[in-house]
């Protein structure tokens, strides 16, 4: 999942890749990691979003990062981001932009 964080993922595709049933995958994953496979995939994408917002490229917006990280519903992205990472995406991109400017003018 980490290697393909930017690709669409379904529980059925994960089960097929693991050569197991959806039920077995869900159960095994939850036992091993304490969360569902889809929650783990969301966490990987949110971490990637945080990294992209921390060091934004020119023209980076929260919206562009959300879409790049596979979140088609912006109304869901912000609460997921804030709940999972205990941060606010808009502040992260602003802080990242300030940091980039400081480094550029040193």
């Amino acid at each position: 999942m980490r290697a393909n964080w930017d690709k669409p993922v379904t529980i059925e595709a994960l089960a097929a890749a693991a050569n197991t049933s959806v039920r077995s995958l869900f159960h095994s994953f939850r036992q091993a990691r304490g969360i569902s496979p889809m929650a783990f995939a969301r966490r990987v994408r949110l971490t990637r979003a945080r990294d992209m917002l921390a060091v934004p490229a020119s023209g980076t917006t929260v919206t562009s990062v959300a879409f790049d990280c596979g979140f088609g519903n912006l109304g869901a992205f912000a609460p997921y981001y804030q709940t999972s990472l205990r941060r606010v995406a808009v502040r992260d991109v602003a802080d990242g932009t300030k940091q980039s400017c400081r480094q550029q003018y040193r």
Side-chain angles (χ1 to χ4, degrees):
M1 279 191 248
R2 285 189 177 110
N4 296 301
W5 65 269
D6 58 340
K7 308 274 188 298
V9 65
T10 64
I11 191 72
E12 293 80 13
L14 292 173
N19 198 29
T20 190
S21 70
V22 169
R23 182 177 169 90
S24 179
L25 175 70
F26 188 86
H27 179 72
S28 298
F29 207 94
R30 188 172 287 282
Q31 268 195 318
R33 297 205 177 255
I35 59 175
S36 72
M38 298 313 287
F40 180 78
R42 183 173 45 244
R43 186 177 290 170
V44 167
R45 290 174 181 200
L46 288 167
T47 300
R48 181 67 179 141
R50 182 195 61 211
D51 294 346
M52 292 170 75
L53 292 171
V55 186
S58 178
T60 297
T61 64
V62 173
T63 301
S64 67
V65 168
F67 284 133
D68 288 348
C69 291
F71 292 92
N73 182 341
L74 297 177
F77 173 74
Y80 281 145
Y81 191 93
Q82 189 167 4
T83 301
S84 245
L85 303 174
R86 293 183 173 79
R87 304 178 65 82
V88 178
V90 174
R91 286 191 195 140
D92 280 355
V93 76
D95 291 347
T97 301
K98 287 179 197 171
Q99 186 65 27
S100 293
C101 288
R102 282 189 213 118
Q103 289 174 353
Q104 183 179 7
Y105 293 107
R106 282 187 182 182

